[in-house]
């Protein structure tokens, strides 16, 4: 199976400004979702194609950036394989409640990428 890009996410220090800019530039439909700790996550609904989200960066030290997510079938095996091929783990595997699991890696060239295993409902 090909591993497509399944989500893109913006981390920013000014979420309100980003929402205004991107909704006007691309006519994206944005939907806020509450997160633990009183924060918001904004879903980007684009209709067809890969959607995404926006959120306030967890630290002022993190510059604004987009992070691409690639879908995988087995997050543990894919993360392990990435490391065996020279990647470093930036954020180890974590559960995203009700949605799936993710990890964030840095490839051997220094580029950062997220791996995503969607939750499989029984």
């Amino acid at each position: 199976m090909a591993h497509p890009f399944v989500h893109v996410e913006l981390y920013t220090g000014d979420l309100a400004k980003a929402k205004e800019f991107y909704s006007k530039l691309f006519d994206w439909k944005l939907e806020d979702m509450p997160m633990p700790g009183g924060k918001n996550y904004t879903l980007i609904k684009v209709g067809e194609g890969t959607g995404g989200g926006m959120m306030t960066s967890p630290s002022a030290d993190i510059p604004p950036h987009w992070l691409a997510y690639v879908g995988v079938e087995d997050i543990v095996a894919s993360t392990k394989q990435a490391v065996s091929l020279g990647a470093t783990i930036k954020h180890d595997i974590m559960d995203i409640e009700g949605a799936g699991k993710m990890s964030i890696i840095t490839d051997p060239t220094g580029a950062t990428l997220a791996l995503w295993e969607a939750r499989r409902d029984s």
Side-chain angles (χ1 to χ4, degrees), residues 45-110:
K45 298 187 171 188
V46 297
E48 292 185 33
T50 301
M54 299 179 188
M55 65 187 293
T56 301
S57 293
S59 168
D61 298 347
I62 300 172
H65 67 281
W66 285 94
L67 178 62
Y69 288 68
V70 173
V72 298
E73 290 134 10
D74 183 334
I75 193 74
V76 173
S78 294
T79 303
K80 185 176 179 180
Q81 182 180 16
V83 170
S84 76
L85 294 170
T88 56
I89 296 175
K90 187 168 182 126
H91 201 298
D92 210 351
I93 299 166
M94 66 185 119
D95 249 342
I96 306 301
E97 188 176 333
K101 296 178 182 179
M102 65 174 283
S103 65
I104 302 174
I105 61 166
T106 301
D107 75 17
T109 73

